[in-house]
Amino acid sequence: MQGMTTSRAVLRGPALALSAALLALSGVAHADAPGDNTTVPPPQSKPGGSTDGKGKVSAGVSQIQISQVKGGGSGKRGNLAPIDTDWEPPACWYEPVFTPEELKEFVDRSDGQGDVGIHQSWYGKGLWTDHYRDGKAQDNMDDDRTEAEGYENYNIGKGGNFWRSVAPDDSHPDSWDCGRIMFWMPDNQVPRIPNAPTPRMLAEYAYEHVKVPDTEVEVRPQAKSTVNLPTWVWLDEGKFEDVVVRAELPRTNLYAETTAHPVSLTLEPGTEDAETFPAGGTCRINEDGSIGSPYRKGSADQDPPCGITYLRASDKPYELSASITWEISWEGTGGAGGDLPDGTFETTQDMTVQEIQSINR
């Protein structure tokens, strides 16, 4: 019929095992898969990465606000790598994205094109109005295939917010743990469901946004060492200080501040034919933010508080690795707090080691 529009629900990700559930959706349901099963969303729509300029259309864009409270410096910086390689930040969670009035305005303005969950996009106004305006139930995308009750007129007049799942990486297997389609909650209430946001979750999210200064150590001699003579390693005072990052979730009272505190520098000479000072290669960071002591003329034969002695000359430069270990703690809403896995930031530089019997330094 001329003028008739079609509503479509697009399931994103490895959805073949779930395809039967799509039959319950109004309109035509499609699952992404190779070959003829691949569905291209309607022209001018952008599944997964779309945004209305406020980050409200895409389930891949979080509303969490990040700010650098302290430290980090203005030079070259980088992200921390957790020492515990099994630790990961949260793969998905729920957060408020629309008031009832904002949801109605979005549906009318966009003609109903956007994400209703991490792995489900609705294209066509009918799907949205059926569920959020006219009270028609829909299926959630959770393991139990629970039913999501419909709403009358977007719950306008009741206040509150509609919450939706969010995943920074929707290809992560655990992103399927947040399977509820967008749902309403009263003002000042956080849902009591798995993967609801908490201060700790925000602290873990902030961890991913901690940027620490580059580890550029001073060495003497510079970039060229001599067999059996110590290479002194140090960093000037004030180079390293605490870095604090704050994460806040708008429309809630939830926040967390994650603090990275520098504790030590670890040296890896790049060869087994070397000795480190102190033994083990870990140099503590001093209270003034410095590491080790600067080399002074006449100290060539002394053991440095932080350094390396190479025992064999190199045919090609050794790769000296210097990594700072940062202890991570957090505090947040209601006095909550705790620790997160230590993190490291590593840089490398080439060290040429020469055989010289007599040298003046």
Side-chain angles (χ1 to χ4, degrees):
M1 294 177 60
Q2 188 174 3
M4 181 178 179
T5 59
T6 300
S7 298
R8 297 193 293 175
V10 177
L11 181 65
R12 304 195 311 276
L16 294 180
L18 301 173
S19 59
L22 294 174
L23 297 177
L25 296 172
S26 64
V28 181
H30 300 274
D32 286 350
D36 294 338
N37 290 329
T38 300
T39 297
V40 179
Q44 299 180 346
S45 65
K46 300 177 181 179
S50 58
T51 176
D52 64 351
K54 300 178 181 178
K56 290 186 177 179
V57 180
S58 170
V61 179
S62 175
Q63 306 297 306
I64 296 174
Q65 296 177 352
I66 292 291
S67 58
Q68 187 99 5
V69 177
K70 178 183 177 182
S74 58
K76 186 177 180 182
R77 299 180 298 165
N79 293 98
L80 291 172
I83 290 178
D84 181 357
T85 56
D86 292 330
W87 182 86
E88 290 184 340
C92 69
W93 59 90
Y94 296 95
E95 58 183 46
V97 289
F98 290 115
T99 65
E101 292 78 12
E102 288 171 340
L103 178 57
K104 180 181 185 302
E105 190 273 337
F106 159 71
V107 172
D108 291 341
R109 173 173 49 82
S110 70
D111 200 29
Q113 298 190 33
D115 296 345
V116 74
I118 296 170
H119 296 286
Q120 191 169 355
S121 300
W122 286 357
Y123 295 99
K125 193 172 182 179
L127 287 166
W128 296 85
T129 55
D130 282 353
H131 183 61
Y132 293 107
R133 186 191 68 187
D134 300 335
K136 182 178 179 180
Q138 290 284 8
D139 282 342
N140 286 310
M141 296 292 298
D142 52 12
D143 291 338
D144 297 328
R145 308 304 308 163
T146 57
E147 184 178 78
E149 295 183 0
Y151 300 89
E152 297 296 329
N153 194 29
Y154 304 96
N155 270 10
I156 289 176
K158 294 185 177 182
N161 290 280
F162 282 92
W163 291 59
R164 185 183 55 199
S165 54
V166 177
D169 177 10
D170 64 9
S171 68
H172 194 294
D174 291 345
S175 68
W176 290 89
D177 292 343
C178 299
R180 295 188 59 170
I181 63 173
M182 190 160 54
F183 59 92
W184 178 84
M185 289 294 298
D187 283 320
N188 303 315
Q189 289 192 27
V190 175
R192 295 184 177 182
I193 57 175
N195 299 300
T198 64
R200 181 181 178 88
M201 185 229 87
L202 291 174
E204 293 173 336
Y205 184 83
Y207 190 126
E208 288 287 278
H209 293 79
V210 171
K211 292 188 179 295
V212 297
D214 197 3
T215 313
E216 296 181 359
V217 296
E218 298 285 342
V219 297
R220 178 65 63 89
Q222 294 181 349
K224 183 176 288 187
S225 187
T226 302
V227 169
N228 295 326
L229 287 179
T231 297
W232 288 58
V233 176
W234 73 92
L235 284 165
D236 292 335
E237 64 181 80
K239 173 69 174 179
F240 290 99
E241 61 177 355
D242 288 357
V243 176
V244 182
V245 172
R246 182 182 179 94
E248 298 181 73
L249 182 58
R251 308 182 193 226
T252 74
N253 69 341
L254 297 176
Y255 79 92
E257 289 189 354
T258 297
T259 299
H261 174 68
V263 292
S264 63
L265 167 71
T266 299
L267 300 174
E268 295 287 348
T271 174
E272 294 182 356
D273 295 316
E275 295 177 348
T276 57
F277 303 94
T282 298
C283 309
R284 301 299 295 181
I285 295 180
N286 303 319
E287 291 185 3
D288 62 3
S290 65
I291 300 175
S293 297
Y295 172 81
R296 302 187 187 283
K297 188 174 181 179
S299 302
D301 296 328
Q302 299 177 14
D303 291 343
C306 184
I308 300 169
T309 294
Y310 286 98
L311 306 178
R312 186 185 298 273
S314 56
D315 296 329
K316 59 181 181 180
Y318 294 126
E319 191 173 79
L320 170 62
S321 166
S323 60
I324 298 290
T325 296
W326 300 74
E327 289 180 345
I328 312 298
S329 61
W330 66 274
E331 58 182 20
T333 306
D339 297 323
L340 294 173
D342 292 351
T344 62
F345 186 76
E346 177 183 296
T347 57
T348 59
Q349 60 192 79
D350 290 341
M351 290 294 296
T352 299
V353 180
Q354 59 188 352
E355 290 271 15
I356 295 182
Q357 300 301 319
S358 177
I359 184 170
N360 294 319
R361 295 201 292 175

